[in-house]
Short mmCIF file of all heavy atoms in Angstrom, two decimals:
data_model
loop_
_atom_site.label_atom_id
_atom_site.label_comp_id
_atom_site.label_asym_id
_atom_site.label_seq_id
_atom_site.Cartn_x
_atom_site.Cartn_y
_atom_site.Cartn_z
N ALA Q 94 30.17 96.93 115.72
CA ALA Q 94 31.11 96.70 116.81
C ALA Q 94 31.40 98.05 117.44
O ALA Q 94 32.00 98.92 116.81
CB ALA Q 94 32.39 96.04 116.30
N ALA Q 95 30.94 98.25 118.65
CA ALA Q 95 31.01 99.57 119.27
C ALA Q 95 31.44 99.47 120.73
O ALA Q 95 31.33 98.41 121.36
CB ALA Q 95 29.65 100.27 119.19
N VAL Q 96 31.91 100.60 121.22
CA VAL Q 96 32.30 100.67 122.63
C VAL Q 96 31.06 100.54 123.51
O VAL Q 96 29.93 100.83 123.08
CB VAL Q 96 33.02 102.00 122.95
CG1 VAL Q 96 34.34 102.10 122.21
CG2 VAL Q 96 32.14 103.21 122.66
N GLU Q 97 31.28 100.10 124.72
CA GLU Q 97 30.20 100.02 125.69
C GLU Q 97 29.60 101.41 125.88
O GLU Q 97 30.32 102.40 125.94
CB GLU Q 97 30.73 99.50 127.02
CG GLU Q 97 29.64 99.27 128.03
CD GLU Q 97 30.16 98.64 129.32
OE1 GLU Q 97 31.24 98.01 129.29
OE2 GLU Q 97 29.48 98.80 130.33
N GLY Q 98 28.29 101.47 125.89
CA GLY Q 98 27.59 102.74 126.06
C GLY Q 98 27.25 103.45 124.76
O GLY Q 98 26.55 104.46 124.77
N PHE Q 99 27.72 102.94 123.62
CA PHE Q 99 27.42 103.55 122.33
C PHE Q 99 25.92 103.45 122.06
O PHE Q 99 25.31 102.41 122.30
CB PHE Q 99 28.20 102.83 121.22
CG PHE Q 99 28.03 103.45 119.86
CD1 PHE Q 99 28.74 104.58 119.51
CD2 PHE Q 99 27.16 102.88 118.93
CE1 PHE Q 99 28.58 105.15 118.25
CE2 PHE Q 99 27.01 103.45 117.67
CZ PHE Q 99 27.72 104.59 117.33
N THR Q 100 25.32 104.54 121.57
CA THR Q 100 23.87 104.53 121.34
C THR Q 100 23.46 105.06 119.97
O THR Q 100 22.27 105.22 119.71
CB THR Q 100 23.14 105.37 122.42
OG1 THR Q 100 23.63 106.71 122.36
CG2 THR Q 100 23.35 104.78 123.81
N GLU Q 101 24.42 105.32 119.08
CA GLU Q 101 24.08 105.90 117.78
C GLU Q 101 24.04 104.86 116.66
O GLU Q 101 24.39 105.13 115.51
CB GLU Q 101 25.07 107.01 117.45
CG GLU Q 101 24.98 108.17 118.42
CD GLU Q 101 25.94 109.27 118.08
OE1 GLU Q 101 25.68 109.99 117.10
OE2 GLU Q 101 26.96 109.39 118.79
N HIS Q 102 23.56 103.66 116.99
CA HIS Q 102 23.49 102.56 116.03
C HIS Q 102 22.69 102.95 114.78
O HIS Q 102 23.09 102.63 113.66
CB HIS Q 102 22.86 101.33 116.69
CG HIS Q 102 23.60 100.86 117.88
ND1 HIS Q 102 23.40 101.43 119.13
CD2 HIS Q 102 24.55 99.92 118.05
CE1 HIS Q 102 24.20 100.84 120.00
NE2 HIS Q 102 24.91 99.92 119.37
N SER Q 103 21.57 103.61 114.98
CA SER Q 103 20.73 103.97 113.83
C SER Q 103 21.44 104.93 112.89
O SER Q 103 21.30 104.83 111.67
CB SER Q 103 19.41 104.58 114.30
OG SER Q 103 18.60 103.58 114.87
N ALA Q 104 22.22 105.85 113.43
CA ALA Q 104 22.97 106.79 112.59
C ALA Q 104 23.99 106.05 111.73
O ALA Q 104 24.19 106.39 110.56
CB ALA Q 104 23.66 107.85 113.45
N VAL Q 105 24.63 105.04 112.29
CA VAL Q 105 25.58 104.23 111.52
C VAL Q 105 24.84 103.44 110.45
O VAL Q 105 25.22 103.44 109.27
CB VAL Q 105 26.37 103.28 112.45
CG1 VAL Q 105 27.22 102.31 111.63
CG2 VAL Q 105 27.24 104.08 113.42
N ALA Q 106 23.75 102.79 110.83
CA ALA Q 106 22.98 101.96 109.90
C ALA Q 106 22.36 102.78 108.78
O ALA Q 106 22.09 102.25 107.69
CB ALA Q 106 21.92 101.16 110.65
N ASP Q 107 22.14 104.07 109.00
CA ASP Q 107 21.58 104.92 107.95
C ASP Q 107 22.47 104.93 106.70
O ASP Q 107 21.98 105.09 105.58
CB ASP Q 107 21.38 106.36 108.44
CG ASP Q 107 20.14 106.51 109.30
OD1 ASP Q 107 19.28 105.60 109.31
OD2 ASP Q 107 20.04 107.55 109.99
N GLY Q 108 23.79 104.73 106.88
CA GLY Q 108 24.68 104.65 105.73
C GLY Q 108 24.35 103.47 104.84
O GLY Q 108 24.39 103.55 103.61
N ALA Q 109 24.00 102.35 105.47
CA ALA Q 109 23.62 101.16 104.72
C ALA Q 109 22.27 101.37 104.03
O ALA Q 109 22.10 101.03 102.85
CB ALA Q 109 23.55 99.96 105.66
N SER Q 110 21.32 101.95 104.73
CA SER Q 110 20.00 102.20 104.14
C SER Q 110 20.10 103.14 102.94
O SER Q 110 19.41 102.95 101.94
CB SER Q 110 19.06 102.80 105.19
OG SER Q 110 18.79 101.87 106.21
N ALA Q 111 20.96 104.13 103.05
CA ALA Q 111 21.10 105.12 101.96
C ALA Q 111 21.55 104.45 100.66
O ALA Q 111 21.06 104.80 99.58
CB ALA Q 111 22.07 106.22 102.37
N VAL Q 112 22.46 103.48 100.76
CA VAL Q 112 22.93 102.79 99.55
C VAL Q 112 21.79 102.05 98.87
O VAL Q 112 21.65 102.11 97.64
CB VAL Q 112 24.08 101.82 99.90
CG1 VAL Q 112 24.36 100.86 98.76
CG2 VAL Q 112 25.33 102.61 100.25
N LEU Q 113 20.97 101.36 99.63
CA LEU Q 113 19.86 100.62 99.04
C LEU Q 113 18.89 101.56 98.36
O LEU Q 113 18.41 101.28 97.25
CB LEU Q 113 19.14 99.79 100.10
CG LEU Q 113 19.96 98.71 100.78
CD1 LEU Q 113 19.09 97.93 101.76
CD2 LEU Q 113 20.62 97.77 99.79
N ARG Q 114 18.60 102.69 98.99
CA ARG Q 114 17.67 103.66 98.39
C ARG Q 114 18.28 104.30 97.14
O ARG Q 114 17.58 104.50 96.15
CB ARG Q 114 17.30 104.75 99.41
CG ARG Q 114 16.44 104.26 100.57
CD ARG Q 114 15.09 103.71 100.14
NE ARG Q 114 14.17 104.69 99.65
CZ ARG Q 114 13.27 105.31 100.39
NH1 ARG Q 114 13.16 105.05 101.67
NH2 ARG Q 114 12.46 106.18 99.84
N GLU Q 115 19.58 104.61 97.19
CA GLU Q 115 20.24 105.20 96.02
C GLU Q 115 20.23 104.25 94.83
O GLU Q 115 20.01 104.66 93.70
CB GLU Q 115 21.69 105.56 96.35
CG GLU Q 115 21.86 106.74 97.26
CD GLU Q 115 23.28 106.86 97.81
OE1 GLU Q 115 24.20 106.16 97.32
OE2 GLU Q 115 23.47 107.66 98.74
N GLN Q 116 20.49 102.98 95.09
CA GLN Q 116 20.60 102.00 94.01
C GLN Q 116 19.25 101.48 93.52
O GLN Q 116 19.12 101.13 92.35
CB GLN Q 116 21.45 100.81 94.47
CG GLN Q 116 22.87 101.17 94.82
CD GLN Q 116 23.65 101.66 93.61
OE1 GLN Q 116 23.59 101.08 92.53
NE2 GLN Q 116 24.36 102.75 93.77
N LEU Q 117 18.26 101.41 94.41
CA LEU Q 117 17.01 100.74 94.07
C LEU Q 117 15.76 101.60 94.21
O LEU Q 117 14.66 101.12 93.94
CB LEU Q 117 16.84 99.48 94.95
CG LEU Q 117 17.93 98.43 94.84
CD1 LEU Q 117 17.75 97.37 95.91
CD2 LEU Q 117 17.94 97.81 93.45
N GLY Q 118 15.90 102.82 94.65
CA GLY Q 118 14.72 103.66 94.87
C GLY Q 118 13.84 103.05 95.94
O GLY Q 118 14.32 102.55 96.95
N GLU Q 119 12.54 103.07 95.71
CA GLU Q 119 11.59 102.55 96.69
C GLU Q 119 11.77 101.05 96.94
O GLU Q 119 11.43 100.56 98.02
CB GLU Q 119 10.14 102.83 96.27
CG GLU Q 119 9.74 104.28 96.49
CD GLU Q 119 9.93 104.73 97.93
OE1 GLU Q 119 9.43 104.06 98.85
OE2 GLU Q 119 10.61 105.76 98.14
N ARG Q 120 12.31 100.32 95.96
CA ARG Q 120 12.56 98.89 96.17
C ARG Q 120 13.61 98.68 97.25
O ARG Q 120 13.75 97.60 97.80
CB ARG Q 120 13.02 98.21 94.88
CG ARG Q 120 11.98 98.20 93.78
CD ARG Q 120 12.50 97.51 92.53
NE ARG Q 120 13.65 98.22 91.99
CZ ARG Q 120 14.68 97.65 91.37
NH1 ARG Q 120 14.72 96.34 91.19
NH2 ARG Q 120 15.69 98.36 90.90
N GLY Q 121 14.38 99.72 97.57
CA GLY Q 121 15.42 99.63 98.57
C GLY Q 121 14.99 100.11 99.94
O GLY Q 121 15.78 100.06 100.89
N ALA Q 122 13.75 100.56 100.08
CA ALA Q 122 13.24 100.95 101.40
C ALA Q 122 13.03 99.65 102.19
O ALA Q 122 12.29 98.77 101.77
CB ALA Q 122 11.93 101.71 101.27
N VAL Q 123 13.71 99.53 103.31
CA VAL Q 123 13.81 98.23 103.96
C VAL Q 123 13.49 98.32 105.45
O VAL Q 123 13.76 99.34 106.09
CB VAL Q 123 15.25 97.67 103.73
CG1 VAL Q 123 16.29 98.51 104.42
CG2 VAL Q 123 15.37 96.23 104.10
N ALA Q 124 12.90 97.25 105.99
CA ALA Q 124 12.81 97.11 107.45
C ALA Q 124 14.23 96.84 107.93
O ALA Q 124 15.00 96.15 107.25
CB ALA Q 124 11.88 95.97 107.82
N ARG Q 125 14.60 97.36 109.10
CA ARG Q 125 16.01 97.29 109.50
C ARG Q 125 16.16 97.14 111.00
O ARG Q 125 15.40 97.69 111.77
CB ARG Q 125 16.70 98.58 109.05
CG ARG Q 125 18.16 98.64 109.38
CD ARG Q 125 18.74 99.98 109.04
NE ARG Q 125 18.51 100.92 110.12
CZ ARG Q 125 18.68 102.23 110.02
NH1 ARG Q 125 19.06 102.77 108.89
NH2 ARG Q 125 18.47 103.01 111.05
N SER Q 126 17.20 96.39 111.37
CA SER Q 126 17.64 96.33 112.76
C SER Q 126 19.08 96.79 112.81
O SER Q 126 19.87 96.47 111.92
CB SER Q 126 17.57 94.90 113.31
OG SER Q 126 16.24 94.44 113.32
N ALA Q 127 19.44 97.55 113.84
CA ALA Q 127 20.81 97.98 114.07
C ALA Q 127 21.20 97.46 115.45
O ALA Q 127 20.57 97.82 116.45
CB ALA Q 127 20.93 99.50 114.00
N ILE Q 128 22.21 96.59 115.48
CA ILE Q 128 22.54 95.85 116.69
C ILE Q 128 23.99 96.08 117.08
O ILE Q 128 24.89 95.89 116.26
CB ILE Q 128 22.29 94.34 116.47
CG1 ILE Q 128 20.82 94.11 116.09
CG2 ILE Q 128 22.69 93.54 117.70
CD1 ILE Q 128 20.53 92.74 115.57
N GLY Q 129 24.21 96.47 118.32
CA GLY Q 129 25.57 96.66 118.82
C GLY Q 129 26.15 95.34 119.31
O GLY Q 129 25.48 94.57 119.99
N VAL Q 130 27.42 95.10 118.93
CA VAL Q 130 28.12 93.88 119.34
C VAL Q 130 29.53 94.25 119.80
O VAL Q 130 30.02 95.34 119.52
CB VAL Q 130 28.19 92.85 118.18
CG1 VAL Q 130 26.79 92.40 117.76
CG2 VAL Q 130 28.94 93.41 116.99
N ALA Q 131 30.19 93.32 120.48
CA ALA Q 131 31.54 93.57 120.98
C ALA Q 131 32.58 93.49 119.87
O ALA Q 131 33.49 94.33 119.81
CB ALA Q 131 31.89 92.58 122.09
N THR Q 132 32.50 92.48 119.01
CA THR Q 132 33.47 92.32 117.92
C THR Q 132 32.77 91.74 116.71
O THR Q 132 31.68 91.17 116.81
CB THR Q 132 34.63 91.36 118.31
OG1 THR Q 132 34.10 90.06 118.54
CG2 THR Q 132 35.38 91.85 119.54
N LEU Q 133 33.45 91.87 115.55
CA LEU Q 133 32.97 91.29 114.30
C LEU Q 133 34.13 90.62 113.59
O LEU Q 133 35.30 90.89 113.91
CB LEU Q 133 32.34 92.38 113.42
CG LEU Q 133 30.98 92.89 113.90
CD1 LEU Q 133 30.59 94.16 113.16
CD2 LEU Q 133 29.91 91.83 113.74
N PRO Q 134 33.85 89.76 112.61
CA PRO Q 134 34.92 89.04 111.91
C PRO Q 134 36.01 89.96 111.36
O PRO Q 134 35.71 91.03 110.82
CB PRO Q 134 34.18 88.32 110.78
CG PRO Q 134 32.79 88.13 111.30
CD PRO Q 134 32.53 89.37 112.12
N SER Q 135 37.23 89.55 111.49
CA SER Q 135 38.42 90.24 110.97
C SER Q 135 38.61 91.64 111.53
O SER Q 135 39.36 92.43 110.99
CB SER Q 135 38.38 90.31 109.44
OG SER Q 135 38.29 89.02 108.88
N GLY Q 136 37.89 91.98 112.60
CA GLY Q 136 38.01 93.31 113.17
C GLY Q 136 37.18 94.36 112.46
O GLY Q 136 37.40 95.56 112.65
N ALA Q 137 36.21 93.92 111.65
CA ALA Q 137 35.35 94.87 110.93
C ALA Q 137 34.51 95.68 111.93
O ALA Q 137 34.07 95.15 112.94
CB ALA Q 137 34.43 94.13 109.97
N PRO Q 138 34.24 96.95 111.61
CA PRO Q 138 33.39 97.74 112.49
C PRO Q 138 31.90 97.51 112.28
O PRO Q 138 31.10 97.77 113.16
CB PRO Q 138 33.76 99.19 112.11
CG PRO Q 138 34.19 99.09 110.68
CD PRO Q 138 34.84 97.74 110.53
#
Side-chain angles (χ1 to χ4, degrees):
V96 295
E97 186 175 338
F99 184 80
T100 60
E101 296 181 74
H102 302 84
S103 289
V105 172
D107 282 346
S110 294
V112 166
L113 298 183
R114 291 299 290 267
E115 288 167 12
Q116 297 295 315
L117 300 171
E119 284 304 308
R120 295 180 298 147
V123 66
R125 181 186 84 193
S126 297
I128 301 168
V130 298
T132 64
L133 287 167
S135 302

